[in-house]
Amino acid sequence: GAGVSQSPSNKVTEKGKDVELRCDPISGHTALYWYRQSLGQGLEFLIYFQGNSAPDKSGLPSDRFSAERTGGSVSTLTIQRTQQEDSAVYLCASSKMDRERDTIYFGEGSWLTVV
Amino acid sequence: GQQLNQSPQSMFIQEGEDVSMNCTSSSIFNTWLWYKQDPGEGPVLLIALYKAGELTSNGRLTAQFGITRKDSFLNISASIPSDVGIYFCAGYDNYGQNFVFGPGTRLSVLP
């Protein structure tokens, strides 16, 4: 597609359940990022995929969080045993990894509410 | 890791006023990006800067890549109500091989 696509756009889940959030990056973009944004706050880096390299998972807040990127394209962020503090907007972004003129583009986000 | 600082954290201005905000880093960046985030939306790219000293305009927006490569500013002229939102700066440091985002400047425009 033309832009970064995320689904679902909204998800309400019960505490303790697992959730999966999906990101479809811009075609041809080799780098994919996940960020988390709590209400009114800045962007918290979670994980970064670049091509076939091992992902940078340094931002994942706990082992309940994991992410995969299949075939170098679509990515899934999984949160196991959700807690109320996991409620946030989860933003996916992608970039071309062009060292000369790199730019990162965001999706609309997946709003997660844990009740 | 690298961190970006944005100032001011928030600002309230009258419609029609000009706005200036800046972003600073302790390390050199090769790319500076400015984003605006409306409530309930993902950040949208406003301006991208790729060369030290570069000055780029996009309508009422003007941004510059600082000569030292450690700062950037964003100006908005003749503000209007739809300028309300959070403005994030971001930089790409090829040593870190990652984009770094500032904490944002929250802009409110009073009619």
Side-chain angles (χ1 to χ4, degrees):
Chain A
V4 177
S5 177
Q6 291 188 244
S7 62
S9 53
N10 281 286
K11 174 75 175 178
V12 180
T13 190
E14 289 182 353
K15 179 181 170 181
K17 295 277 178 71
D18 297 352
V19 296
E20 280 191 355
L21 307 175
R22 175 189 166 107
C23 173
D24 202 339
I26 292 172
S27 177
H29 281 195
T30 58
L32 187 148
Y33 305 78
W34 282 98
Y35 292 87
R36 177 169 71 174
Q37 186 178 32
S38 299
L39 190 63
Q41 300 301 309
L43 301 168
E44 177 188 1
F45 167 75
L46 296 178
I47 188 169
Y48 160 59
F49 295 91
Q50 165 50 13
N52 295 322
S53 303
D56 176 356
K57 303 180 183 180
S58 59
L60 294 178
S62 77
D63 59 8
R64 296 186 296 105
F65 288 73
S66 62
E68 288 185 341
R69 189 177 185 193
T70 54
S73 181
V74 172
S75 176
T76 303
L77 177 69
T78 301
I79 309 172
Q80 296 178 307
R81 305 181 302 281
T82 51
Q83 304 293 313
Q84 287 185 326
E85 62 262 28
D86 298 335
S87 297
V89 178
Y90 289 82
L91 290 159
C92 177
S94 70
S95 73
K96 217 181 218 183
M97 282 305 287
D98 176 349
R99 282 181 173 271
E100 293 300 315
R101 302 187 75 82
D102 211 356
T103 306
I104 182 173
Y105 296 92
F106 284 87
E108 293 291 315
S110 290
W111 290 74
L112 175 66
T113 303
V114 181
V115 296
Chain B
Q2 299 92 7
Q3 286 195 341
L4 294 179
N5 298 306
Q6 286 188 248
S7 64
Q9 276 189 319
S10 62
M11 52 196 314
F12 292 81
I13 60 167
Q14 292 290 138
E15 184 177 352
E17 287 183 352
D18 296 344
V19 174
S20 184
M21 60 187 79
N22 77 325
C23 184
T24 59
S25 167
S26 57
S27 60
I28 290 172
F29 281 79
N30 292 316
T31 300
W32 286 99
L33 308 172
W34 284 94
Y35 290 83
K36 182 190 177 211
Q37 186 176 29
D38 291 327
E41 306 285 331
V44 173
L45 182 68
L46 298 175
I47 290 180
L49 303 160
Y50 300 106
K51 199 185 292 187
E54 181 179 354
L55 182 70
T56 298
S57 292
N58 178 6
R60 295 179 296 106
L61 308 177
T62 302
Q64 184 158 30
F65 191 140
I67 293 288
T68 65
R69 294 168 65 191
K70 294 183 178 181
D71 62 352
S72 176
F73 72 74
L74 175 71
N75 287 346
I76 306 172
S77 63
S79 58
I80 60 177
S82 61
D83 291 334
V84 166
I86 304 175
Y87 291 80
F88 291 102
C89 65
Y92 180 73
D93 173 355
N94 65 348
Y95 296 107
Q97 300 203 351
N98 200 347
F99 283 97
V100 179
F101 282 85
T105 291
R106 185 181 296 273
L107 177 65
S108 300
V109 179
L110 306 173

